[in-house]
Amino acid sequence: MADATALARKIKLLVLDVDGVLTDGGLYYGDEGILMKRFSVQDGLGIKLAQAVGLEIGVITGLDQKPVEKRISELWIKHYYAGHHRKLPLFEKMCEEVGVAPEEAAYMGDDWIDLAVMGQAGLALCVPNAVPEVIEAADWMSTRKGGQGAVREAISFILEARGLKEQALRRWVD
C-alpha cells in the first residue's frame, strides 16, 4: 500500500460517491413514497472549505434523486453525474474537464460500483462501513462512517497533506 499522505499531496480534484459516503446509505420513504436523504452539515462545510482553497469537488452517483440534486446545488458542486453505474468513464471525463490527470484526483467510495474508479484514482478513499473489497482497495479510510462526517475527514486529510488546512481555517476564523 502506498503512502496515503504522499498521494494526497498531489490531489487537486476530489470525487465522491453519494449513498454510503455523503449519506448513511439509507433510503427513507414517507407514507406517500417521498424519498428523503440525510446529509452531514460537517461534510457540507468541509466541501465549502475545500472549494475556498481551490480543491475541485465532483460527485458521481448510481441513483438519480431530487434530494441529492438539491444538496449538490446548495454546495455549488459543478461536476455532478447522477444515474450512472459505470462510473469510470465519467471520472475520466471529469478529470479532463477540470484539467487534471487521474493521479491528481481522489475518489471516495463504499461499494463494488466504486472499485473501477478507485483503481484509477491517484488516491483511493473509503469509509469504515464499506464492503471488504473496497476497504482492501483503499489507500486511506476515514474513522467516521458515511453520512457522519467521513467526507469532512477526508477533506481535512487532503488539505493537511497539501499544506492548505491552515489557510482554509483562517477563512472562517479571521
Side-chain angles (χ1 to χ4, degrees):
M1 184 178 294
D3 175 14
T5 302
L7 297 174
R9 286 187 192 111
K10 301 175 187 174
I11 301 304
K12 297 175 183 173
L13 168 65
L14 172 60
V15 182
L16 305 165
D17 176 41
V18 174
D19 295 304
V21 174
L22 277 169
T23 75
D24 63 8
L27 299 174
Y28 303 91
Y29 290 91
D31 291 340
E32 297 177 23
I34 298 171
L35 178 69
M36 295 178 283
K37 295 281 187 177
R38 181 192 171 279
F39 295 91
S40 166
V41 172
Q42 288 184 348
D43 286 346
L45 183 57
I47 288 169
K48 289 297 191 188
L49 293 170
Q51 291 167 327
V53 295
L55 181 65
E56 289 280 344
I57 304 293
V59 172
I60 305 172
T61 179
L63 299 174
D64 189 359
Q65 302 164 326
K66 290 290 182 198
V68 175
E69 185 179 321
K70 179 164 180 53
R71 185 64 176 148
I72 296 303
S73 175
E74 289 171 348
L75 294 173
W76 295 55
I77 296 173
K78 298 179 282 189
H79 311 285
Y80 173 56
Y81 295 100
H84 298 277
H85 293 100
R86 293 185 39 80
K87 296 182 176 186
L88 185 56
L90 297 168
F91 171 77
E92 292 168 341
K93 180 178 180 182
M94 197 178 297
C95 287
E96 189 175 309
E97 290 172 354
V98 173
V100 300
E103 56 269 13
E104 296 173 305
Y107 183 84
M108 190 169 202
D110 74 311
D111 213 331
W112 290 359
I113 193 172
D114 303 307
L115 285 169
V117 180
M118 290 176 71
Q120 294 300 310
L123 177 64
L125 311 165
C126 77
V127 294
N129 52 315
V131 298
E133 296 86 353
V134 168
I135 292 172
E136 178 67 28
D139 299 307
W140 181 90
M141 181 171 63
S142 65
T143 61
R144 294 182 177 194
K145 292 181 178 181
Q148 298 177 8
V151 171
R152 174 67 172 272
E153 189 179 344
I155 288 169
S156 290
F157 171 69
I158 292 168
L159 294 184
E160 191 165 327
R162 292 196 54 209
L164 297 171
K165 191 172 179 180
E166 290 302 316
Q167 180 184 345
L169 178 62
R170 280 195 308 269
R171 296 178 72 80
W172 294 93
V173 294
D174 287 347

